Every structure is written in C-alpha cells, then in structure tokens.
Amino acid sequence: MIFGKLILHPTRLQTSNDHYQLHGIRVVSVRRPFLSAGLLVGALLTGFALSFWDLLYDGERISLCIFIALAVLGGWCIGQLRLVSRELVNSPLGEAVYGTYRHLRRESTRIALAADAARSSSGTTQEDVR
C-alpha cells in the first residue's frame, strides 16, 4: 500500500506531486523514518504501564497494550521511498513517497531496474556522469 500515487513509466516515475526522470536517478532507497519514534513511544508507554499496572483498570490496561502495539507496529511498517541524484541534492523532492515498507521495497527494485534501463537507453553510463 502506498500513501499517494506511484506510477512507473519507461523513462519517468510519476508520484502524487512530481515527475522524476529515471535516467538521472542514481540511488533508490527505502527507509523506516518513524521506527525510532515508534520504539521510543512504545518503550515509554511500556514503562508507564509497568509502573502503574496495579493501579490501572482492565480497560486502561488493554488500551495501553493496544497503543504500545500500534506505536511499534506503525514505526516498523511505514516506509519512505527516497530518490538520490545530482539534481535532487539537498532537495525535499527526493523524499518521494510514503507507504508500507514491504511494498516500497518491492517497488524500489522495479524503479532501480527501470532507472538502469533508462540510463542505458539514453547512452549515459556511470563513467559519463563523473
């Protein structure tokens, strides 16, 4: 699942807001940007739950367990597709799409293969760029 739009054309990548030329993309990366925040919130809520477990009602205990699971699972599952090229250095445009980490990993492989094909069809090689 992708939050937004990601359409791969032969020479470009179309997202919800932007179009990227594939021949200029050098690195396609997928990260988990909310993992540390999810783990931190989960750890803090776990500490709170363990400290006050004997004072909490059953509904509050269940709610805390659900919030802990959602925080950790959300941080683990949400991913961000990043595109790296010379044109996108220090640009927020390189942070293309958010979605589930698993799905973005599959799409990143397709995008990297399409970028290689676009570079080879345009005649640009790694040595030409340097």
Side-chain angles (χ1 to χ4, degrees), residues 31-60:
R31 306 275 185 209
R32 289 185 172 117
F34 303 116
L35 180 59
S36 60
L39 291 175
L40 180 63
V41 168
L44 292 174
L45 285 176
T46 300
F48 176 82
L50 292 176
S51 297
F52 297 105
W53 192 257
D54 56 339
L55 301 175
L56 297 174
Y57 293 111
D58 290 337
E60 295 170 336

Side-chain angles (χ1 to χ4, degrees), residues 1-2 6 8 28 30 81 100-113:
M1 179 173 84
I2 293 176
L6 181 71
L8 185 61
V28 180
V30 178
L81 177 73
T100 58
Y101 182 78
R102 174 186 276 174
H103 186 76
L104 289 176
R105 290 293 298 172
R106 284 192 305 259
E107 293 296 320
S108 70
T109 303
R110 288 183 49 223
I111 294 168
L113 291 173

Side-chain angles (χ1 to χ4, degrees), residues 96 116 122:
D116 287 342
S122 69

Side-chain angles (χ1 to χ4, degrees), residues 11 21-27 84-88 115 118-119:
T11 59
Q21 295 298 323
L22 290 175
H23 65 82
I25 294 174
R26 299 292 173 225
V27 178
V84 179
S85 72
R86 283 188 173 174
E87 295 82 19
L88 297 175
R119 273 194 302 275

